[in-house]
Amino acid sequence: DLSGYGAAAQSANGFPDVATYSLFVFPWDTDRLWAGTEIGIVESLDGGESWALLDSNLPATAIWQMQLVDDQLVIATHGRGIWTVGFPDEVMVAPTVIEAGPSALNHLSIKVAIAEDYDSVEVYADDQLAAVFEEVPQGYVTLETQQAVTNQMRIQLKGYVGETMLESQSTVSPMTPYLDVVNAYGSDLDHGPEDDYLLTGFSFRQPVEFDNPGLATWFPYNDDSTFTATLRKPLRVGAGAHTEMRYEDIAVIEPGEPGTVYGEPTFYEYVLVEASKNGLDWLPLVEGYDARYDPVWLDIWNRQDVAYPADFREHTIDLLDFFEEGDASVVRFRFYSDANYTGMGYIVDNILI
């Protein structure tokens, strides 16, 4: 009983005989407690052994709730508004889970926002300790565990600085595990198979002017969208002839301003081929391109016309330019459309890895 009353009519440690609505424990000094009562904040500096009314400019009113937000303690009162108290030099912020998913080997990967250097970070999956990482630096960090993923996982992090422990919120993340790693992959995409891919905005379609289906966006495509087609069969990078990726595509999408290159603000829309080992950090395998990649595509865009099978262009990528022999990686196609103009769209065919 932190109030010191027990069964007595008077407190043994100075806590007032008033209603209490909230309690805040300082995460960087757990002996320091603030109790929100009907007459204001009552403070303890010794873990609840003794209490005194806080000496501050807060009004003598009921304190309903106290919540730490970044380096500010937000205090909600009854009838006297919302107050804040700043602790810019003292607050330590818990790690935050940004994203979680399977790696190419179906191990749990987690992208984390780290507000300050941690001595260590523990990863819990479904309430079980999955991994411990030492000396985790401040910034956005991807933690790669050896924990096998399931279709849905509850994830929580515990960060340690000295003897202080800071817990992240518990996050439930749905997962779609990848299929078994393969040494090679090939498909003309005439009949899918759809189970080979995770599709967002793409579908297996046969445009009217084409003889066979392909992996395509809708014509015209939606604006202000990101479309992805991820191969669910991770590839083991081999040696010799087994290091190349080939595909054909047509990208009749909005061209950037003349002379602009991928990454500049006026390079409006683009397609990319990307790969990832951990499933969260994607490495571009080609420089982003638009309809200016080929004069025929640009002419189709300018005429607002449609493409034909003869307009496919072949691309070749050497995976050893990006990965080591034996690495397992996941490959995806990504198309970004801005909020302005739309055209015929993007279609991929005849993938061979």
Side-chain angles (χ1 to χ4, degrees):
D1 180 7
L2 293 177
S3 70
Y5 280 92
Q10 196 169 17
S11 172
N13 60 15
F15 201 94
D17 186 13
V18 294
T20 302
Y21 305 110
S22 57
L23 178 69
F24 178 71
V25 180
F26 286 73
W28 57 89
D29 181 4
T30 55
D31 283 335
R32 188 179 183 185
L33 311 175
W34 281 8
T37 76
E38 65 181 356
I39 61 171
I41 293 178
V42 182
E43 181 181 51
S44 173
L45 299 177
D46 51 16
E49 294 295 323
S50 62
W51 295 88
L53 194 64
L54 181 68
D55 183 12
S56 74
N57 63 349
L58 278 170
T61 188
I63 307 297
W64 290 115
Q65 189 173 8
M66 294 178 283
Q67 176 69 48
L68 187 65
V69 179
D70 296 327
D71 62 354
Q72 299 278 322
L73 183 65
V74 181
I75 302 170
T77 73
H78 176 69
R80 299 299 296 272
I82 295 176
W83 295 63
T84 61
V85 180
F87 303 101
D89 299 324
E90 299 183 50
V91 172
M92 291 187 290
V93 180
T96 302
V97 176
I98 304 298
E99 185 182 7
S103 72
L105 298 177
N106 280 327
H107 295 154
L108 176 63
S109 292
I110 307 170
K111 185 166 289 187
V112 183
I114 302 294
E116 56 191 285
D117 295 346
Y118 284 107
D119 296 331
S120 64
V121 173
E122 296 175 346
V123 176
Y124 289 82
D126 296 329
D127 301 320
Q128 301 296 316
L129 181 63
V132 179
F133 297 87
E134 303 292 340
E135 297 182 356
V136 181
Q138 180 182 12
Y140 291 96
V141 180
T142 300
L143 305 177
E144 304 173 38
T145 77
Q146 298 298 308
Q147 176 72 42
V149 298
T150 58
N151 290 330
Q152 181 171 282
M153 304 186 78
R154 182 182 299 277
I155 298 165
Q156 188 174 37
L157 307 177
K158 295 181 180 180
Y160 292 86
V161 179
E163 297 182 358
T164 301
M165 185 271 287
L166 297 162
E167 285 186 325
S168 73
Q169 292 186 343
S170 181
T171 303
V172 177
S173 298
M175 306 273 174
T176 303
Y178 293 111
L179 303 176
D180 292 339
V181 177
V182 296
N183 293 322
Y185 177 84
S187 176
D188 59 12
L189 302 178
D190 285 357
H191 305 288
E194 294 192 21
D195 287 347
D196 282 0
Y197 292 86
L198 296 173
L199 302 179
T200 302
F202 280 89
S203 62
F204 290 96
R205 302 178 52 250
Q206 181 175 336
V208 175
E209 300 80 7
F210 286 63
D211 301 324
N212 301 294
L215 194 55
T217 62
W218 288 101
F219 302 167
Y221 51 87
N222 294 330
D223 58 11
D224 198 19
S225 301
T226 297
F227 309 87
T228 58
T230 305
L231 180 60
R232 290 187 63 204
K233 293 184 176 181
L235 276 298
R236 182 80 67 184
V237 179
H242 298 291
T243 68
E244 286 188 345
M245 173 181 176
R246 298 179 182 179
Y247 67 98
E248 297 176 357
D249 70 354
I250 302 172
V252 181
I253 63 176
E254 182 182 4
E257 297 297 329
T260 56
V261 297
Y262 171 67
E264 295 181 347
T266 52
F267 195 102
Y268 299 121
E269 299 185 343
Y270 55 84
V271 295
L272 282 172
V273 183
E274 301 172 307
S276 175
K277 292 195 297 182
N278 62 32
L280 298 180
D281 299 317
W282 294 89
L283 178 68
L285 304 182
V286 297
E287 195 77 11
Y289 53 94
D290 57 24
R292 294 174 296 167
Y293 179 86
D294 188 274
V296 173
W297 297 354
L298 184 58
D299 181 62
I300 296 170
W301 170 271
N302 289 332
R303 291 185 288 108
Q304 286 297 288
D305 205 349
V306 295
Y308 291 87
D311 301 323
F312 275 111
R313 298 295 179 262
E314 184 176 272
H315 306 257
T316 301
I317 301 167
D318 190 342
L319 297 177
L320 282 182
D321 289 342
F322 305 93
F323 299 102
E324 300 292 331
E325 183 177 338
D327 283 346
S329 67
V330 182
V331 174
R332 76 178 182 184
F333 295 87
R334 179 162 68 92
F335 164 40
Y336 167 75
S337 70
D338 69 3
N340 298 319
Y341 305 102
T342 63
M344 173 186 159
Y346 185 54
I347 183 169
V348 183
D349 204 2
N350 296 325
I351 300 171
L352 180 63
I353 309 174

